[in-house]
Amino acid sequence: MRLALVGQPNSGKSTLFNALVGLRAVAANFPGTTVEVLRGRAALAGKPVEIVDLPGIYSLAAQDPAERVARDFLLSEKVDVILNVVDASVLPRSLTLTLELMELGIPMVVVLNMADEAEHKGIRIDSEKLEGILGVPVVFTVASRGVGLRELAAAVARARVPTPPRYSEAVEALRAALKGPDPLPAQPAWVPPPVREALRARGYEDPAELWADERFALAARIFREVAQVAHARVGLRERLDDLLMHPFFGYAFLALTLFLLFFLTFRVGAALEGLLLPPLEGLSARAGAALGEGVAAQALTGALEGLLAGIGIALPYLLPFFLLLALLEDVGYLPRAGFLLDGLMHRLGLHGKSVIPLLLGYGCSVPAVLATRILEDERDRFVSAVLAVLIPCAARTVVVFGLVGRFLGPAAALLLYLGNLGVVALAATLLARLFPATGPGLILEIPPYRLPTPRTTLGKTWLRLREFVKVAWPLLVASSFVLSLFQALGLAPYLNAAARAVTWPLGLPPEAGTPLLFGILRKELALLLLAQALGTEDLPAALSSGQMLVFTVFTIFYLPCVATLAVLGKELGWRRTGLVLLATTGLALLLGLGARLVAAAAL
Amino acid sequence: MNLNSIPRPLVELHPGQTGRVVALAGPSREVRLRLRALGLRPGARVRLLGRGPGGPVRIEVEGCCLALGAGVARRILVAPETEDQG
């Protein structure tokens, strides 16, 4: 049996998905976190089921990529039961989607999620009455706390095909005219003249708009029937928003938040690194001594060094960073930052919604590129994806903090971040010249603040760290092994010679070439393999301050890692991805040269 | 006739002022449908919560808070309901 979770953005589908199948999906407090179809298995009332988490959709008629994914899935794949997840605190609006789903002829259960939030807003819903009106089971849940899951399992057994609601004669005539394989055509191809006349008489050009308005009116009627609304309190939330989205204090708070994000990451990371690194280095030295000489022994020692570098250098910075980013996401701060930066982004030819993929880019470029799907306009998606790739992800943060922060000081690292923002702004301006803005501008729901639960926030941090452990560690160990093997066999000079085209103009030692080549696999590798390639843990002895700066600048900008390239290829097409590849590498060389000149003048 | 109730673009409401949507002139069909799905349809009650630097507005509609860019908010006509407080 296959169940599909369908609901409006930010209604808690992913949280419910995680509650049902165990931790699999990344949930966050902004609309559009899920952009792809996620599948999981679970046991409901003892029976095995497949559960599918679809991207959030406001309506089946709208057209952005995430919505198309959800719509296509519902219309073309076999779904046994739709679990329509509804944010109970915004019931009238959510019911319009429910009414649309009722046209599909698929058994349904309505899940009134965030029941606690509705109560907080003074909304009391009579679920039995709603069940009577809709003709499908209705259950209450609070997915974040696992409340109501047993009732949900029982309701699935009672799921029924709903009877589509009746509308005015004009709409019914339209529905009759549209009868075909697609029960809800996104764009009616042809409307019979009498229907068109009926529409015009009521002041509508577009049949979809009339239908949408009638659906809304029906949803509002149902809401009045089943809900009692106590006088809503003027919430703390509203006052908090007046402050946090204030034209002056809002900016101050945003700047402070971003500063704290990096400052805390650096301080906690450096402390953890100081704790972990010395014993690990001792361990690797002892293992090296025990294994002795010989090609195989050297390669094994190299692999071990790679693993230990992953624990000692990368993990200390990734852990606090992912945790803090998860907190910001779960509280719901990202859409607020989008609102604050909308005016600024306009000057760069984008709008506030692009802030979300860009901020996510500090975590990892892959979800950042995927998150551009929340943008309605194709051109905005392309430009935002390119810019998101230029934002230093957590892997590059490891390089910035582990090299520049550690040896040149936190101020230099901060300057690199600010300089990076300047480059992103310049790139945006240039892209706006090449591809003039066409999109409608900002349309973004700002969800209520939510207190992050340890389960969701720690869970998400763990999901992202696990990505690192699962993907990066094996790569790290394999690369260190290969690199040591090359060194032991005397092959490394060939790789370094190939990379000389880059290392020579940048004034880097030839040995830095191999780590940069491996960095294409994962950006941390550039730093983690550097010590090994240079043959010393004492980096300041082997590299000047200027060289460290140049190496880091080049690492930030040169071609995106393979995982990012793959997702770029999927989202933008390979021709555009090829252009991004060339442009970023050219940019990295240019900025690396610039950094060399600045370093020569200043250091 | 009350001059204050003449329809005007949504951006021109004062913070805290409410109005009823009179017309939506979205730049495209997709945008109009998207706004409708969010509750912005003729007759809907909106309240301007605040303005952001550089033009965007925060509004409340259907119990949700939306951020709209200046370009979008200019194309939504509303009839103000409460007295001007500015």
Side-chain angles (χ1 to χ4, degrees):
Chain A
M1 183 146 93
R2 181 188 279 160
L3 313 180
L5 294 170
V6 188
Q8 296 199 336
N10 237 46
S11 56
K13 288 177 305 303
S14 295
T15 311
L16 184 61
F17 181 76
N18 283 340
L20 289 170
V21 306
L23 202 57
R24 297 285 295 280
V26 169
N29 190 9
F30 57 85
T33 318
T34 307
V35 291
E36 291 195 302
V37 176
L38 291 169
R39 293 159 197 262
R41 304 209 143 267
L44 273 193
K47 270 188 275 174
V49 290
E50 184 191 357
I51 297 183
V52 183
D53 183 19
L54 295 179
I57 49 178
Y58 287 110
S59 143
L60 284 171
Q63 290 284 322
D64 75 25
E67 290 177 331
R68 228 170 296 153
V69 166
R71 186 188 152 87
D72 288 349
F73 189 92
L74 285 173
L75 294 180
S76 59
E77 304 232 2
K78 184 164 165 35
V79 174
D80 296 294
V81 177
I82 290 177
L83 297 181
N84 175 208
V85 185
V86 165
D87 177 351
S89 68
V90 288
L91 190 58
R93 193 189 78 188
S94 314
L95 278 177
T96 56
L97 177 64
T98 306
L99 294 174
E100 285 188 329
L101 292 171
M102 287 169 74
E103 311 266 345
L104 297 180
I106 301 172
M108 241 168 96
V109 171
V110 171
V111 184
L112 292 174
N113 194 30
M114 304 192 190
D116 52 342
E117 210 157 291
E119 215 156 286
H120 179 85
K121 275 173 116 176
I123 302 172
R124 298 190 52 149
I125 300 165
D126 184 340
S127 65
E128 279 177 27
K129 220 172 190 180
L130 185 60
E131 199 166 316
I133 292 173
L134 297 177
V136 296
V138 176
V139 288
F140 282 109
T141 58
V142 182
S144 58
R145 289 191 273 120
V147 175
L149 298 185
R150 200 171 311 147
E151 291 79 358
L152 175 61
V156 168
R158 295 188 288 125
R160 264 172 296 161
V161 178
T163 317
R166 306 281 300 171
Y167 297 98
S168 72
E169 271 177 39
V171 169
E172 291 304 329
L174 180 69
R175 195 213 301 268
L178 293 177
K179 255 206 170 358
D182 184 351
L184 269 180
Q187 180 115 38
W190 182 77
V191 180
V195 177
R196 193 161 279 281
E197 275 317 304
L199 290 177
R200 216 165 273 150
R202 296 183 52 182
Y204 287 92
E205 285 294 324
D206 188 336
E209 287 183 358
L210 172 65
W211 203 344
D213 284 355
E214 286 201 7
R215 224 177 255 128
F216 231 110
L218 180 57
R221 269 209 309 282
I222 296 175
F223 178 72
R224 278 198 298 275
E225 195 91 355
V226 302
Q228 282 186 313
V229 186
H231 197 67
R233 297 171 250 182
V234 178
L236 179 68
R237 268 173 202 165
E238 216 164 279
R239 252 169 274 157
L240 198 59
D241 265 346
D242 284 342
L243 191 67
L244 292 190
M245 292 197 268
H246 187 273
F248 173 73
F249 297 112
Y251 269 135
F253 185 80
L254 177 66
L256 184 71
T257 305
L258 292 181
F259 174 75
L260 277 180
L261 174 67
F262 290 105
F263 182 74
L264 287 176
T265 301
F266 178 72
R267 291 310 288 264
V268 173
L272 284 176
E273 191 182 20
L275 268 174
L276 287 172
L277 210 48
L280 290 176
E281 276 169 358
L283 193 67
S284 108
R286 271 209 301 282
L291 284 168
E293 296 295 312
V295 172
Q298 277 187 40
L300 276 179
T301 314
L304 186 67
E305 275 173 4
L307 180 66
L308 298 179
I311 302 173
I313 300 175
L315 211 50
Y317 294 108
L318 292 178
L319 178 69
F321 185 82
F322 283 151
L323 188 64
L324 292 169
L325 188 68
L327 272 177
L328 279 183
E329 288 180 32
D330 289 351
V331 168
Y333 189 63
L334 266 44
R336 273 123 186 135
F339 172 76
L340 280 172
L341 295 175
D342 183 57
L344 184 71
M345 298 299 280
H346 254 288
R347 297 212 186 148
L348 301 176
L350 286 168
H351 62 78
K353 227 175 184 175
S354 298
V355 169
I356 290 177
L358 292 185
L359 283 178
L360 290 178
Y362 283 106
C364 174
S365 306
V366 172
V369 170
L370 285 175
T372 59
R373 290 198 190 171
I374 64 172
L375 299 166
E376 293 84 0
D377 187 58
E378 202 260 328
R379 174 263 174 202
D380 289 353
R381 285 199 290 275
F382 166 65
V383 172
S384 305
V386 174
L387 297 181
V389 167
L390 295 180
I391 297 276
C393 60
R396 286 172 267 180
T397 295
V398 169
V399 183
V400 174
F401 285 175
L403 198 61
V404 171
R406 189 166 161 208
F407 298 116
L408 304 184
L414 184 66
L415 275 179
L416 271 183
Y417 278 100
L418 293 178
N420 172 266
L421 279 181
V423 172
V424 170
L426 274 178
T429 314
L430 184 71
L431 285 168
R433 282 277 168 85
L434 293 173
F435 308 93
T438 52
L442 179 70
I443 304 173
L444 177 62
E445 183 178 357
I446 299 192
Y449 293 104
R450 297 204 167 108
L451 213 55
T453 63
R455 186 159 128 183
T456 53
T457 306
L458 292 177
K460 175 156 51 182
T461 308
W462 163 239
L463 271 182
R464 288 177 178 163
L465 274 181
R466 194 179 65 179
E467 258 323 282
F468 169 72
V469 170
K470 257 175 44 185
V471 179
W473 276 3
L475 264 179
L476 190 54
V477 172
S479 314
S480 325
F481 180 81
V482 171
L483 178 59
S484 310
L485 202 63
F486 276 14
Q487 283 174 328
L489 296 174
L491 291 173
Y494 296 105
L495 277 184
N496 289 332
R500 202 67 191 125
V502 168
T503 49
W504 179 76
L506 294 180
L508 295 172
E511 294 78 16
T514 314
L516 285 176
L517 282 176
F518 278 102
I520 301 168
L521 295 174
R522 291 273 309 190
K523 291 269 175 127
E524 314 88 326
L525 290 181
L527 172 65
L528 303 180
L529 295 178
L530 188 62
Q532 199 187 340
L534 293 171
T536 171
E537 295 292 331
D538 187 14
L539 289 176
L543 292 176
S544 71
S545 303
Q547 285 173 321
M548 289 186 192
L549 190 69
V550 171
F551 184 85
T552 308
V553 168
F554 187 76
T555 306
I556 291 177
F557 292 102
Y558 84 118
L559 41 144
C561 71
V562 283
T564 309
L565 283 176
V567 70
L568 275 178
K570 216 172 75 186
E571 296 296 309
L572 308 181
W574 291 106
R575 203 180 61 86
R576 283 185 159 181
T577 303
L579 287 177
V580 171
L581 211 144
L582 287 178
T584 49
T585 308
L587 183 68
L589 266 176
L590 214 65
L591 291 169
L593 279 172
R596 190 181 175 189
L597 290 177
V598 170
L603 295 169
Chain B
M1 169 176 180
N2 185 354
L3 284 179
N4 284 333
S5 63
I6 288 177
R8 64 192 68 180
L10 177 57
V11 269
E12 287 175 19
L13 290 184
H14 295 284
Q17 200 178 10
T18 61
R20 279 198 190 270
V21 176
V22 177
L24 291 164
S28 69
R29 179 173 186 269
E30 274 71 38
V31 173
R32 284 197 304 276
L33 285 177
R34 160 56 53 83
L35 291 174
R36 268 186 155 79
L38 286 165
L40 278 165
R41 66 195 192 290
R45 203 152 169 235
V46 295
R47 188 154 68 96
L48 190 91
L49 298 173
R51 232 179 279 279
V57 293
R58 285 189 289 135
I59 59 164
E60 190 191 299
V61 61
E62 290 292 340
C64 302
C65 177
L66 298 184
L68 298 179
V72 181
R74 257 197 296 273
R75 289 186 162 101
I76 300 171
L77 274 188
V78 296
E81 280 195 332
T82 45
E83 277 304 300
D84 254 319
Q85 285 144 13

